[in-house]
Amino acid sequence: MQKQTEQFSGLRLYETECRGDNRKEIKDNEEVMPLSGEAIRLMNYVDDVSVTLRRVLALAQTLTPEERKRVSDYLKNAQPSVEAVISSLQGK
């Protein structure tokens, strides 16, 4: 398995960060509330969206300028937008 990893490691488009890197620093006296299964599932969906966007970025280079413009407009008008989801999660 390691040989396959070494053999295909050059195919990675981007290095990904571990979700643990996004955690805030926890002080010794601070209690941490564990995440529910539903919250973890939603975070996995966000990871899936990130993977999809990396694929879009990689494949966009193969498109003509006209095709890139159409895909860009399509993504811009996709609903719900990232901003709408963030706003909903923040309770605004």
Side-chain angles (χ1 to χ4, degrees):
M1 195 77 152
Q2 182 143 5
K3 287 184 180 181
Q4 286 179 340
T5 304
E6 291 172 8
Q7 179 182 0
F8 295 113
S9 64
L11 297 177
R12 283 189 222 145
L13 299 173
Y14 299 92
E15 291 294 327
T16 59
E17 291 183 29
C18 174
R19 188 178 324 156
D21 294 341
N22 295 328
R23 295 184 190 143
K24 292 182 179 176
E25 213 172 292
I26 300 169
K27 297 179 180 153
D28 292 333
N29 60 352
E30 198 175 331
E31 279 191 42
V32 178
M33 181 181 208
L35 289 176
S36 68
E38 193 64 25
I40 293 168
R41 186 174 300 109
L42 289 174
M43 291 172 78
N44 287 334
Y45 290 156
V46 171
D47 290 341
D48 293 344
V49 169
S50 295
V51 168
T52 301
L53 291 175
R54 281 194 294 274
R55 289 178 183 152
V56 169
L57 285 173
L59 294 173
Q61 299 171 15
T62 66
L63 302 176
T64 66
E66 295 82 20
E67 290 172 324
R68 285 200 312 247
K69 171 83 169 101
R70 285 187 69 182
V71 172
S72 172
D73 290 342
Y74 188 80
L75 180 60
K76 193 183 306 181
N77 294 316
Q79 289 298 321
S81 67
V82 171
E83 292 82 11
V85 173
I86 291 172
S87 179
S88 176
L89 288 170
Q90 292 176 342
K92 294 180 180 175

